[in-house]
Amino acid sequence: MRLAFMGTPDFAVPALQALHAAGHEIVVVYTQPPRPAGRGKKERPSPVHVAAQELGIAVRTPLSLRRDTAEHDHFTALRLDAAVVAAYGLILPVAMLDSPAHGCLNIHASLLPRWRGAAPIQAAILAGDRESGVTIMQMDAGLDTGAMLCEGRVALTPRTTATSLHDDLAAMGARLVVETLRTIPPPRPQPEEGVTYAARLTREDGRLRWDRPADMLDRQVRAMTPWPGTFTLLAGETIKIGAVTMDPTPTTAAPGTIVDDRLLVACGNGTTLRITRLQRPGRGMMEADAFLRGQAVPTGTRFDLPQP
């Protein structure tokens, strides 16, 4: 097929590569413009931009598409069979959605209609869902409301992180979109019940509130890795938490209190959680044993609780 591909982050790269390997004619890749990154704030192209250049595909980086009629006309003139969209980050106007013969297909990282919106991978883990997956969706003008063409499922385990689920779903989405373009299955409207939304993440979503139960905090740590990451305060210093494990030890200590000499922390409802990886400002992430060799955290020390 004659395609356009529209995506920006690492999640979208496997799909672009799979479509190219399957022999589709990808005439253009749309991605967000290079952004300042790193300590030097040098402009860095997106992962999809880099992958497209490696494949020799033309790249376009408009800042917006809503009112750019010249871009709409250019897109229409491509006479596409379909456009594949994966975490592009820009809203497509109706003029572009309706242009390709088979429309615009979105690779969405959830089992729609659960977790429409910007952060479905993190939302599924945070909510304790037992499964997640990918839906190939026919895009319309709504927010992830289009008809479903194909889906794949994956079980979530007590150790699933946003990083591991991201990689699994990126690979799954690549396989499914190639299969969808091969078969063009009939669209199925999304169910009206069970609709949930995953809001865009902010740094504040990573703040640990120790008065919550340990299982909820465990899911938060796994859901917020690598970004925004989770953190707490110790004597006013921000400590990043890289990994934790559930612990069956009950406690009557106040939430946020260290209850042994190996970073077992009291949480809400008398539950406890053990910190296994953490990081001080200006240092690298390290295992708890290495951290404690450099900085003692005596039993009874209390992590600062956030203000209500």
Side-chain angles (χ1 to χ4, degrees):
M1 286 190 176
R2 184 174 171 85
L3 304 177
F5 186 87
M6 313 177 89
T8 297
D10 289 320
F11 177 82
V13 172
L16 173 61
Q17 294 170 334
L19 291 166
H20 182 268
H24 291 285
E25 182 189 4
I26 306 173
V27 296
V28 66
V29 164
Y30 281 79
T31 190
Q32 292 211 29
R35 308 289 189 194
R39 292 184 178 180
K41 298 299 180 182
K42 182 179 179 180
E43 286 198 343
R44 182 180 301 172
S46 74
V48 165
H49 193 147
V50 173
Q53 289 180 322
E54 291 173 350
L55 295 173
I57 303 171
V59 177
R60 297 179 74 85
T61 58
L63 286 171
S64 176
L65 293 172
R66 282 188 173 182
R67 297 178 177 85
D68 191 342
T69 56
E71 195 64 60
H72 303 171
D73 293 342
H74 175 83
F75 191 78
T76 300
L78 295 173
R79 299 187 180 277
L80 301 169
D81 294 310
V84 173
V85 183
Y88 178 29
L90 293 183
I91 295 174
L92 272 62
V94 173
M96 296 180 74
L97 291 173
D98 293 344
S99 175
H102 295 287
C104 297
L105 279 58
N106 180 241
I107 303 172
H108 186 74
S110 82
L111 299 172
L112 291 169
R114 186 153 178 81
W115 304 128
R116 296 173 180 173
I121 289 174
Q122 294 83 356
I125 296 173
L126 194 62
D129 290 358
R130 294 190 175 185
E131 65 177 356
S132 183
V134 168
T135 303
I136 307 299
M137 177 192 70
Q138 188 84 52
M139 295 179 69
D140 61 17
L143 176 61
D144 301 327
T145 56
M148 302 180 296
L149 299 171
C150 181
E151 71 175 14
R153 296 172 179 263
V154 61
L156 302 186
T157 76
R159 300 318 311 154
T160 298
T161 66
T163 298
S164 64
L165 184 56
H166 168 282
D167 294 349
D168 289 345
L169 298 188
M172 177 182 287
R175 295 192 301 270
L176 289 178
V177 77
V178 170
E179 177 65 15
T180 299
L181 289 175
R182 186 182 68 83
T183 59
I184 310 294
R188 296 177 290 115
Q190 292 188 35
E192 295 183 1
E193 65 280 358
V195 175
T196 52
Y197 289 90
R200 189 175 302 278
L201 297 176
T202 69
R203 184 178 182 276
E204 191 62 23
D205 290 312
R207 184 185 296 273
L208 294 172
R209 299 179 180 274
W210 296 106
D211 53 352
R212 293 173 175 170
D215 59 343
M216 183 180 295
L217 293 171
D218 170 70
R219 294 196 302 270
Q220 183 182 0
V221 172
R222 291 187 288 114
M224 300 301 160
T225 178
W227 197 89
T230 48
F231 64 94
T232 187
L233 297 178
L234 181 62
E237 184 177 66
T238 299
I239 304 294
K240 294 182 179 180
I241 306 300
V244 298
T245 59
M246 296 286 293
D247 194 286
T249 306
T251 185
T252 58
T257 303
I258 306 296
V259 297
D260 74 2
D261 60 357
R262 294 187 297 115
L263 295 179
L264 186 67
V265 188
C267 305
N269 298 343
T271 58
T272 55
L273 198 67
R274 189 172 301 282
I275 300 172
T276 59
R277 285 177 59 79
L278 65 168
Q279 178 183 0
R280 291 184 62 190
R283 306 287 183 86
M285 186 68 68
M286 61 181 69
E287 300 298 320
D289 289 346
F291 182 93
L292 291 171
R293 285 196 294 269
Q295 176 178 343
V297 184
T299 300
T301 301
R302 191 174 182 186
F303 288 119
D304 300 344
L305 294 180
Q307 296 299 314

